[in-house]
C-alpha cells in the first residue's frame, strides 16, 4: 500500500472507531488509537519531505476511486504528492500528533475524551484531504471538512453558551468566504472545462487578456476567478473583513487553538493561493488585492494584539497578523517565502498556544494575564519553551551583514525577514514598511505576554502578598472603575488588581501554580526544537534561488530572480526588521518591567485610541449593526407577519376556521324533525327544476 494512503486514511479510520465506540471501551483505548494513528502518519510524512529536500521526489498522483461523472464533468478521487504537499504533510501530521499527545494531559479530566480525540483526528483527515487534492472539487471537500470539524471542536464544550456562539460564528463567517470559493470553482470549470488542477494551471497563462461576463459587466477572466477564489482564502485564513471568527474560536479547548489556528485550518487559504499561484500570476490586479489585504490584516491584528489581556486572544491575533505576512508575501510573488513562513509559523505558534495552555493549566484555568506574574520560578520548563517560541516569533537572529556570511537565528527570523526583504525587492515599499512596523508591534506584544506572565510580582490569588493586598483593598473599599487604567492596559498594581472581580476568580484562591504533566511538556520540548532550528536548517530549500527552484520543481510559481534580488537589497533593508524587533523588546521591557505604571498612563492619555483598539476596531459592533440586527429584524418580520400573520392566518389556521364555521352551520340543519328534512328536499328539488328549465 502506498504510504500516502496510510498517511491520509489512518486518521479517518481512528476517528470513526473512536467516535462510534464513544465510551464503550473507556477513554484510554480511543486516545491511544487516534494518537498512535497520527504518530504513524507523521513518521511516514517526514521521509517523503526529506526525499523532496534531496531532489529525489517527482510529482505523483495516487488514484483512489472514480468519484463522480456528470456529462463532461469527471472527478477522480486521487491523492497528489509534490513538494508543496510534502511540506503540508509534515506540518499537519507533526503538529496534530503532538496536539493529540498534549491532550492526554490537558483533557485528562474531561468526561468526553473519546469524542474530543475523534474530532481531532477527523479534522486532521479533512486537512490532509485538502492538501493532497488533485482537483478543485476534492479540495472543496477537504475545505468544507475542516470547516465542519472546526465547528465541532470550537463548540466541543456545548454546554457553554459562549462556545456555542463562537462555533456558530466561525461556521457562518466561513460560509461567506466559501460562497466566493464555490463561485470561483464554478467559474474555473466554465472557463477551462475541467476541475483538474494540473490542467487548469497548464492552461492559465493562455487565458491572459481574455474577458468574461460577471454580474452586469465584462471583466478580465483571470482577475474575476482569482478574486473569487481569494475570497474563500480570506474566510478560511481570517483575513481582514472575514477575521472576526478567529479570536472567538479561543472558546474551544487550548489544543484546538493550537491545531486549528497555528498549523492547519487557517493556513488552508495560504496553501490554496500558493497551489494556484500560476493562476494568480496572470492577474496583476488580483496580486495587488492579495498584497493589500494581507498587509492590512497584518497591521490590524497586530494593533489589536497590543491591548488584549486574555493570553490566548493575544496569540490568536498574532496568528491573524502572521497570516497577513504570508498573504502579502504571496501577493508580491514570493510564494516560497510565504510557504517558508507557514512552515516555521506552525512550530512556534503551536508552541506558543500549547505553552499558553500549560500556563492556564498551572493557573487553574485562569486566562487573564493581569492575574499572572512571577511564574517562571513555578513552571520553569513552560517558561523556557514559551521563551523559545517568543524568540522565534519576534525574529531574534544575526543578519548576514558585516562580514557574517550566513544569517543565524530562530525560526521566525529567517522566514519573516525573508518576506520583508522580498517586499522591498519586488518594488512594493508600502508592504515593506507595513511589515517592518508590524515586526515592531509583534515584538512588543509578544514580550508583553512574557513579562506579564513570568516576571514581576505574583498577582494571582494564591500568593500571600496578594492576599494581604486584597485584604487592604477591601478594607479601603477599593473597586474597579470604567476608566482605562494600568490594569486595563495589561498591568495592575497589586491592591487594585486583587480587588477586581474577586468572585469571578475565586477558583484560584489558595491555589499555587505547578508544572504540567509530561504528556503536555514533551510536545512543548519537541516544538521548541522546531522553533529554534526550522528556519536555519531549511531556509535554503524554501527561498534560495537555486536550491529553491530545485526543491519546488514547479509545485508553485517560484520566482528565482526575486529570491536572488531579495539577497541583494541594501544593508539598511536587511537590518530593518532586526532594529524593529529590538525597539519592540525595549518598549515592552520599559512598560512592564522598568516602569510598570507607564502602560496605564499611556492608556489614560490616549483613551480614544486605546478604547478603539480594545474594541477591535469595532468590527463586531459594525457587523452587528449592518448585518446581524437587520437579519434578525427580517427574520422576525417573516416569522410574525409572514408565517404567523399571513401563511398560518389564511392557510392552516384560516382553513381550519372555515371548516369550523361550516361545521357549526351544517350541524344546525341536523334538527331530527321529519318536516325539516322534507322542506330541505323540496327546496333542493325546486332549485334543480329551476336550473333545468332556465337552462
Amino acid at each position: 500500500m502506498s504510504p500516502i494512503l496510510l498517511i491520509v486514511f489512518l486518521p479517518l479510520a481512528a476517528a470513526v472507531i473512536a467516535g462510534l465506540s464513544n465510551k464503550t471501551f473507556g477513554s484510554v483505548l480511543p486516545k491511544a488509537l487516534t494518537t498512535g494513528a497520527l504518530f504513524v502518519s507523521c513518521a511516514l510524512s517526514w521521509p517523503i519531505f526529506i526525499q523532496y529536500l534531496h531532489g529525489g521526489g517527482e510529482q505523483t498522483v495516487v488514484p483512489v476511486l472514480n468519484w463522480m461523472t456528470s456529462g463532461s464533468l469527471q472527478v477522480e478521487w486521487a491523492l497528489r504528492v509534490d513538494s508543496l504537499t510534502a511540506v503540508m504533510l509534515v506540518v499537519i501530521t507533526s503538529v496534530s500528533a503532538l496536539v493529540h499527545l498534549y491532550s492526554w494531559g490537558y483533557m485528562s479530566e474531561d468526561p468526553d475524551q473519546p469524542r474530543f480525540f475523534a474530532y481531532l483526528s477527523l479534522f486532521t483527515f479533512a486537512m490532509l484531504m485538502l492538501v493532497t487534492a488533485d482537483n478543485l472539487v476534492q479540495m472543496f471537500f477537504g475545505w468544507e471538512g475542516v470547516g465542519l470539524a472546526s465547528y465541532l471542536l470550537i463548540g466541543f464544550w456545548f454546554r457553554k453558551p459562549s462556545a456555542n456562539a463562537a462555533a456558530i460564528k466561525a461556521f457562518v463567517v466561513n460560509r461567506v468566504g466559501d460562497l466566493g470559493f464555490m463561485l470561483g470553482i464554478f467559474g474555473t470549470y466554465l472557463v477551462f472545462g475541467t476541475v483538474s488542477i494540473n490542467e487548469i494551471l497548464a492552461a492559465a497563462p493562455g487565458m491572459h487578456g481574455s474577458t468574461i461576463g460577471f454580474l452586469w459587466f465584462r471583466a478580465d477572466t483571470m482577475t474575476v476567478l482569482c478574486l473569487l477564489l481569494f475570497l474563500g482564502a480570506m474566510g478560511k485564513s481570517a483575513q481582514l473583513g472575514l477575521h472576526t471568527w478567529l479570536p472567538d474560536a479561543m472558546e474551544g479547548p487550548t489544543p484546538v487553538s493550537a491545531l486549528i489556528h497555528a498549523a492547519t485550518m487557517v493556513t488552508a487559504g495560504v496553501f490554496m493561493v500558493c497551489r494556484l499561484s500560476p493562476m494568480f500570476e496572470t492577474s496583476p490586479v488580483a496580486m495587488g488585492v492579495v498584497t493589500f489585504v494581507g498587509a492590512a490584516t497584518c497591521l490590524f491584528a497586530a494593533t489589536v494584539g497590543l491591548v488584549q489581556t486574555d493570553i490566548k486572544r493575544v496569540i490568536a491575533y498574532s496568528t491573524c497578523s502572521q497570516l497577513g505576512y504570508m498573504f502579502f508575501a504571496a501577493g508580491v510573488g514570493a510564494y516560497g517565502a510565504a510557504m517558508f513562513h507557514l512552515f516555521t509559523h506552525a512550530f512556534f505558534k503551536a508552541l506558543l498556544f500549547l505553552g499558553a495552555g500549560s500556563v492556564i493549566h498551572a493557573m487553574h484555568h485562569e486566562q487573564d494575564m493581569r492575574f499572572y506574574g512571577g511564574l517562571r520560578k513555578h513552571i520553569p520548563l513552560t517558561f523556557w519553551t514559551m521563551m523559545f517560541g517568543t524568540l522565534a516569533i519576534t525574529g531574534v537572529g544575526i543578519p548576514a551583514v558585516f562580514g557574517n556570511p550566513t544569517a543565524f537565528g530562530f525560526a521566525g527570523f529567517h522566514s519573516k525577514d525573508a518576506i520583508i526583504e522580498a517586499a522591498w525587492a519586488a518594488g512594493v515599499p508600502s508592504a515593506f514598511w507595513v511589515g517592518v512596523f508590524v515586526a515592531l508591534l509583534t515584538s512588543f506584544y509578544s514580550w508583553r505576554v512574557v513579562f506579564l506572565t513570568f516576571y514581576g510580582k505574583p498577582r494571582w490569588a494564591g500568593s500571600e502578598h496578594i492576599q494581604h493586598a486584597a485584604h487592604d483593598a477591601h478594607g479601603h473599599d477599593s473597586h474597579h472603575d470604567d476608566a482605562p487604567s494600568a490594569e486595563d492596559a495589561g498591568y495592575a498594581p497589586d491592591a487594585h488588581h486583587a480587588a477586581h472581580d474577586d468572585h469571578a476568580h475565586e477558583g484560584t484562591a489558595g491555589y499555587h501554580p505547578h508544572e504540567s504533566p509530561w504528556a503536555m511538556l514533551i510536545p512543548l520540548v519537541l516544538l521548541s526544537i522546531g522553533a529554534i532550528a526550522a528556519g536555519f536548517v531549511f531556509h535554503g530549500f524554501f527561498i534560495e534561488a537555486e536550491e529553491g527552484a530545485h526543491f519546488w520543481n514547479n509545485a508553485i510559481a517560484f520566482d528565482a530572480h526575486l529570491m536572488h534580488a531579495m539577497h541583494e537589497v541594501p544593508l539598511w533593508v536587511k537590518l530593518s526588521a532586526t532594529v524593529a524587533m529590538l525597539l519592540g523588546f525595549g518598549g515592552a521591557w520599559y512598560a512592564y518591567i522598568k516602569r510598570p505604571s507607564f502602560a496605564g498612563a499611556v492608556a489614560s492619555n490616549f483613551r480614544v485610541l486605546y478604547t478603539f483598539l480594545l474594541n477591535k476596531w469595532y468590527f463586531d459592533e459594525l457587523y452587528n449593526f449592518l448585518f446581524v440586527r437587520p437579519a434578525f429584524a427580517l427574520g422576525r418580520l417573516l416569522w410574525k407577519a409572514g408565517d404567523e400573520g399571513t401563511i398560518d392566518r389564511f392557510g392552516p389556521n384560516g382553513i381550519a376556521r372555515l371548516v369550523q364555521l361550516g361545521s357549526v352551520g351544517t350541524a344546525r340543519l341536523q334538527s331530527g324533525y321529519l318536516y325539516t328534512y322534507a322542506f330541505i328536499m323540496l327546496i333542493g328539488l325546486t332549485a334543480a327544476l329551476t336550473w333545468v328549465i332556465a337552462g
Side-chain angles (χ1 to χ4, degrees), residues 508-642:
T508 60
Y511 191 85
H512 294 278
H514 59 86
E515 193 62 273
S516 300
W518 279 106
M520 295 171 62
L521 295 178
I522 291 175
L524 294 181
V525 173
L526 294 176
L527 288 169
S528 296
I529 298 173
I532 295 170
F536 179 73
V537 172
F538 297 108
H539 76 278
F541 301 102
F542 283 85
I543 60 174
E544 294 294 337
E546 294 183 4
E547 286 183 272
H550 191 58
F551 169 66
W552 289 115
N553 193 21
N554 297 320
I556 60 174
F558 184 78
D559 189 342
H561 296 291
L562 177 60
M563 295 297 99
H564 178 75
M566 183 183 76
H567 297 294
E568 302 298 326
V569 297
L571 176 61
W572 68 270
V573 173
K574 291 180 177 290
L575 293 175
S576 58
T578 299
V579 172
M581 176 271 296
L582 293 173
L583 290 174
F585 170 79
W589 175 81
Y590 182 80
Y592 297 101
I593 300 296
K594 177 67 174 178
R595 188 183 167 193
S597 61
F598 180 76
V602 171
S604 298
N605 292 331
F606 297 93
R607 180 168 183 170
V608 174
L609 176 60
Y610 172 75
T611 305
F612 178 72
L613 298 180
L614 192 64
N615 286 280
K616 302 160 289 185
W617 291 30
Y618 291 100
F619 268 100
D620 284 315
E621 290 78 3
L622 179 63
Y623 286 178
N624 185 60
F625 176 77
L626 292 178
F627 304 117
V628 178
R629 288 168 58 184
F632 274 95
L634 178 62
R636 283 192 296 269
L637 176 65
L638 295 176
W639 170 32
K640 292 295 184 181

Side-chain angles (χ1 to χ4, degrees), residues 128-145:
L128 290 170
M129 282 302 306
L130 192 159
V131 301
T132 57
D134 189 45
N135 58 72
L136 294 180
V137 177
Q138 188 179 333
M139 182 182 288
F140 186 73
F141 172 82
W143 194 274
E144 293 302 295

Side-chain angles (χ1 to χ4, degrees), residues 26 48 282 576 602 681:
I48 295 176
T282 63
S576 58
V602 171
M681 291 172 65

Side-chain angles (χ1 to χ4, degrees), residues 653-669:
N653 294 342
I655 296 299
R657 180 62 175 165
L658 289 175
V659 171
Q660 182 185 19
L661 293 175
S663 300
V664 171
T666 55
R668 291 175 179 174
L669 297 176

